[in-house]
């Protein structure tokens, strides 16, 4: 082939692939209220920063008429670019090409960009819009997913991995995201299930809609599979940009530092925490009273809302915040909140993000439902995650810190570097009412006026334990501070802990209570 015909050949092949994208896909996706794979990449990445690779990769499948099927890009776009100035690797599946299904060539494009991300030490973003393993390619497509799962696992804790679900995703197209750090979903567009309604109808004879089976709300509120929920694709991309700005490129780096900003004056701890210790308040207002510009990026906002997790900045430096939420179930720890916090703590620890823990909880939630749901095993996850974490750990006890909850919420005993308490803190094995009823049971029942005796005993217990001073006298609290002093103490602790190093005995890896 002469040089001229080689050039002509190149342009005609390239335009075939591009036309397949622009004409058919835009119409098909738009009909489903969705952007195309390329439009998504362009909307998410910084202007003109995207560079595509492997445009000409084609499948080699032959069965079921596949030998006659041209699948542009084999249904996935891969490349590199920038998000808010941070370099990233990205892939986006194209649902208009065989339902975004994953054959071997498609998988190899993804594993190639994954390997690239690990070698270059930059985040991986996967936009999933796929019916899972390509049925026509049989075991080859299963092999493809296996190779992706293997890489997701090896990349875990090395580079941040972000999954975006933008269509009906089944099988491998949800298991790969489940192995990644953050999953983004969009209302009415995202669906996640191990297999779709057609198969359920065939196997179980049941009719169910995709939305009821695994819509965006289900995974944001009930299963906890999704970490961020958006109303539209564009809102979702803004959320991803915000997340990327908070996290480092890889586990050897720290997050980008921003100029320090004071919190907004309208958030004031004294005005937020009610005088009466049984009254609720929104812990997110406390977070906003402490962090730069009162800017808090909440993670898993709609799941296990009795605990709040997310990213903020203090003195321009990213921190991970974990706080009991007195507004929901009095902020108890339970199966889901332990899962939620445990995983977040491990992410922060892997990526050098200091942890700030805000404590106000009556303990672990008792009862048959929780016991049978495995609160012992799941509840242990938060104990494990805090104990394992070696990033700077700063704890502020705002009010109640009872029983296992006191220990679990990053107490000194689990390796907190700094534990501060407000004068309103109550640290005890349980609340004064419950404690008095148990340890003074006999005195109360034998008293001529049991109610009066109970009140005396409750007051006695409160005086002794429902304050921070007993724990402070034992050295379990480093300082009892006023509400006005909290931000300054945290800033100082972060500054002092800037170069913290903590060595642990060698091991291949620990065995967390999965
Ligand atoms: C090949 C597929 C496909 C697949 C969809 N398509 N899924 N082709 N392999 N897995 C094709 C359809 O044939 C169709 O092609 C086009 O994509 C659009 O699909 P529709 O069914 O028309 O779309 P919709 O009604 O929106 O339903 C989407 C869907 C459904 C829910 C994803 O297609 C579905 O249930 N697919 C199978 C899902 C599944 O069970 N996957 C699991 C695979 S196993 P045409 O040519 O008509 O446009 C797996 C291994 C996991 O992934 C391992 C885990 C450990």
């Amino acid at each position: 082939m002469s040089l001229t015909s080689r050039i002509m050949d190149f342009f005609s092949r390239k335009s075939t692939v591009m036309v397949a994208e622009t004409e058919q896909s835009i119409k098909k996706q738009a009909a489903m209220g969705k952007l195309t794979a390329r439009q998504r990449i362009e909307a998410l990445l910084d202007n003109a920063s995207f560079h595509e690779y492997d445009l000409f990769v084609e499948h080699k499948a032959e069965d079921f008429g596949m030998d006659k099927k041209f699948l542009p890009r084999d249904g996935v776009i891969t490349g590199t670019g920038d998000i808010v100035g941070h370099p990233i690797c990205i892939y986006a599946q194209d649902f208009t090409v065989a339902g975004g299904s994953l054959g071997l060539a498609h998988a190899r494009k993804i594993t190639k960009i994954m390997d690239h991300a690990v070698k270059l030490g930059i985040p991986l973003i996967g936009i999933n819009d796929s019916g899972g393993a390509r049925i026509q390619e049989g075991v080859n497509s299963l092999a493809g997913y296996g190779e992706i799962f293997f890489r997701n696992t090896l990349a875990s804790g090395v580079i941040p991995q972000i999954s975006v679900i933008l269509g009906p995703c089944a099988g491998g197209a949800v298991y790969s995201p489940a192995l990644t750090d953050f999953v983004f979903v969009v209302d009415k567009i995202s669906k996640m299930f191990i297999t779709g309604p057609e198969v359920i109808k065939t196997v179980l004879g049941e009719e169910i809609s995709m939305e009821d089976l695994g819509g965006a709300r289900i995974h944001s509120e009930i299963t906890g599979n999704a970490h961020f929920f958006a109303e539209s694709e564009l809102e979702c991309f803004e959320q991803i940009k915000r997340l990327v700005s908070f996290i480092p490129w890889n586990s050897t780096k720290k997050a980008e530092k921003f100029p320090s900003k004071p919190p907004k004056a309208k958030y004031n701890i004294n005005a937020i925490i009610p005088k009466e210790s049984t009254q609720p308040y929104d812990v997110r207002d406390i977070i906003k009273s402490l962090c730069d510009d009162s800017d808090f990026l909440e993670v898993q906002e709609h799941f296990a809302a009795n605990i709040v997790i997310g990213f903020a900045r203090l003195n321009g430096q990213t921190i991970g915040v974990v706080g009991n939420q007195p507004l929901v179930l009095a902020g108890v720890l339970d199966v889901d909140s332990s899962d939620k916090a445990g995983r977040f703590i491990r992410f922060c620890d892997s990526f050098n993000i200091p942890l700030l823990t805000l404590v106000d909880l009556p303990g672990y939630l008792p009862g048959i439902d929780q016991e049978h749901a495995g609160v012992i095993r799941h509840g242990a996850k938060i104990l494990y995650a805090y104990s394992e974490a070696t990033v700077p750990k700063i704890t502020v006890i705002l009010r109640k810190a009872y029983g296992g909850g006191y220990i679990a919420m990053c107490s000194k005993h689990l390796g907190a570097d700094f534990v501060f308490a407000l004068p309103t803190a109550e640290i005890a094995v349980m609340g004064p009412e419950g404690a008095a009823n148990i340890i003074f049971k006999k005195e109360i029942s034998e008293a001529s006026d049991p109610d009066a005796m109970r009140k005396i005993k409750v007051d006695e217990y409160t005086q002794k334990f429902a304050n921070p001073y007993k724990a402070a006298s034992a050295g379990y609290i480093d300082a009892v501070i006023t509400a006005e002093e909290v931000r300054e103490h945290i800033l100082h602790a972060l500054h002092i802990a800037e170069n913290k190093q903590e060595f642990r005995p060698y091991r291949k890896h620990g065995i967390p209570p999965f």
Side-chain angles (χ1 to χ4, degrees):
M1 220 191 260
S2 71
L3 182 60
T4 317
S5 32
R6 278 224 302 272
I7 293 170
M8 296 292 287
D9 182 52
F10 168 78
F11 280 110
S12 73
R13 280 168 187 270
K14 187 162 177 164
S15 67
T16 311
V17 183
M18 303 301 278
V19 166
E21 153 93 1
T22 50
E23 285 179 1
Q24 292 173 7
S25 338
I26 293 176
K27 272 193 200 150
K28 258 184 156 176
Q29 289 285 90
M32 293 183 276
K34 292 155 64 180
L35 298 174
T36 66
R38 176 166 285 277
Q39 286 170 337
R40 286 166 174 168
I41 289 175
E42 280 171 0
L44 175 60
L45 268 48
D46 296 350
N47 203 11
S49 70
F50 181 59
H51 288 65
E52 181 172 356
Y53 311 122
D54 292 337
L55 177 66
F56 297 121
V57 165
E58 286 181 45
H59 72 82
K60 305 271 184 297
E62 293 180 339
D63 297 330
F64 304 105
M66 287 296 284
D67 50 339
K68 295 182 198 65
K69 270 202 180 142
F70 169 61
L71 301 180
R73 297 177 169 85
D74 205 35
V76 63
I77 301 179
T78 59
T80 51
D82 292 315
I83 293 181
V84 290
H86 296 228
I88 52 97
C89 285
I90 188 163
Y91 71 84
Q93 294 176 311
D94 184 346
F95 192 76
T96 65
V97 178
S101 61
L102 181 135
L104 193 58
H106 179 128
R108 291 274 156 82
K109 282 181 72 170
I110 294 178
T111 53
K112 188 170 158 187
I113 204 71
M114 292 175 86
D115 291 343
H116 217 50
V118 172
K119 266 189 278 179
L120 304 180
I122 55 178
L124 174 78
I125 321 276
I127 300 182
N128 297 268
D129 191 355
S130 163
R134 188 174 294 153
I135 296 163
Q136 298 90 327
E137 291 199 36
V139 71
N140 274 334
S141 49
L142 298 179
Y145 263 126
E147 289 170 21
I148 291 173
F149 302 158
F150 181 71
R151 282 167 176 78
N152 284 137
T153 306
L154 295 194
S156 178
V158 179
I159 52 164
Q161 299 182 81
I162 293 171
S163 297
V164 198
I165 307 291
L166 290 180
C169 288
V174 294
Y175 270 115
S176 169
L179 290 166
T180 64
D181 303 315
F182 297 103
V183 175
F184 288 74
V185 292
V186 174
D187 197 21
K188 300 189 178 69
I189 290 179
S190 313
K191 323 271 187 264
M192 300 174 76
F193 25 72
I194 57 169
T195 194
E198 275 304 320
V199 177
I200 291 178
K201 197 171 158 195
T202 312
V203 177
L204 302 173
E206 289 170 9
E207 300 247 12
I208 186 159
S209 73
M210 281 199 226
E211 194 64 37
D212 289 342
L213 186 59
R217 285 188 188 278
I218 304 246
H219 290 298
S220 305
E221 294 168 14
I222 298 174
T223 67
N225 284 332
H227 299 82
F228 292 93
F229 173 89
E231 301 284 349
S232 70
E233 294 199 28
L234 293 183
E235 189 196 342
C236 169
F237 300 148
E238 289 310 310
Q239 292 173 341
I240 296 170
K241 289 178 199 177
R242 238 160 97 59
L243 174 66
V244 169
S245 80
F246 274 104
I247 59 179
W249 295 6
N250 63 54
S251 61
T252 67
K253 297 221 175 317
K254 288 190 175 175
E256 182 186 353
K257 206 163 176 198
F258 282 70
S260 182
K261 286 184 180 171
K264 292 183 177 143
K266 67 173 176 173
Y267 298 105
N268 170 346
I269 299 186
N270 278 325
I272 299 164
I273 302 181
K275 296 271 170 298
E276 181 57 58
S277 83
T278 51
Q279 292 299 303
Y281 61 90
D282 191 338
V283 74
R284 290 173 297 193
D285 290 339
I286 303 282
I287 298 168
K288 289 175 189 166
S289 78
L290 297 173
C291 66
D292 288 11
D293 205 25
S294 303
D295 182 22
F296 177 55
L297 176 63
E298 187 168 355
V299 177
Q300 287 182 303
E301 180 184 348
H302 308 287
F303 173 67
N306 40 328
I307 206 155
V308 169
I309 57 172
F311 298 105
R313 292 190 183 90
L314 276 162
N315 200 18
Q317 180 186 351
T318 296
I319 53 159
V321 188
V322 180
N324 307 118
Q325 174 57 291
L327 268 189
V328 181
L329 293 170
V332 287
L333 281 175
D334 58 5
V335 166
D336 286 343
S337 60
S338 304
D339 256 20
K340 172 176 164 179
R343 191 176 158 128
F344 180 72
I345 293 162
R346 297 194 91 200
F347 177 86
C348 292
D349 189 46
S350 292
F351 291 101
N352 313 310
I353 297 173
L355 285 161
L356 170 65
T357 303
L358 301 174
V359 187
D360 187 349
L361 82 165
Y364 280 90
L365 182 62
I368 189 166
D369 290 348
Q370 283 293 306
E371 296 289 357
H372 289 194
V375 70
I376 298 172
R377 178 164 54 89
H378 293 289
K381 290 176 185 173
I382 191 163
L383 302 172
Y384 192 102
Y386 269 131
S387 304
E388 180 190 45
T390 57
V391 287
K393 297 187 282 195
I394 301 160
T395 301
V396 182
I397 304 176
L398 300 169
R399 219 168 48 171
K400 294 192 275 294
Y402 293 161
Y406 157 74
I407 307 171
M409 291 304 291
C410 204
S411 61
K412 204 74 177 166
H413 324 290
L414 301 190
D417 299 296
F418 300 91
V419 180
F420 305 120
L422 292 183
T424 44
E426 300 173 17
I427 300 156
V429 173
M430 62 177 70
E433 289 279 347
N437 280 338
I438 293 170
I439 57 178
F440 303 117
K441 190 174 172 182
K442 209 159 160 235
E443 286 95 324
I444 293 171
S445 65
E446 286 172 0
S448 53
D449 182 347
D451 287 342
M453 179 57 85
R454 182 178 296 108
K455 191 175 176 317
I456 291 168
K457 293 299 178 190
V458 167
D459 287 349
E460 200 178 301
Y461 189 87
T462 306
Q463 262 214 318
K464 211 166 184 102
F465 288 110
N467 63 65
Y469 301 107
K470 194 90 186 164
S473 74
Y476 302 148
I477 287 168
D478 297 301
V480 179
I481 56 177
T482 64
E484 292 73 21
E485 294 171 323
V486 177
R487 179 169 152 102
E488 192 278 323
H489 271 71
I490 302 171
L491 288 179
H492 179 72
L494 282 171
H495 162 66
I496 292 296
E498 173 103 36
N499 294 313
K500 180 188 174 191
Q501 281 188 313
E502 202 174 317
F503 297 101
R504 302 285 165 87
Y506 170 78
R507 61 180 169 184
K508 188 172 171 191
H509 56 67
I511 304 155
F514 275 158

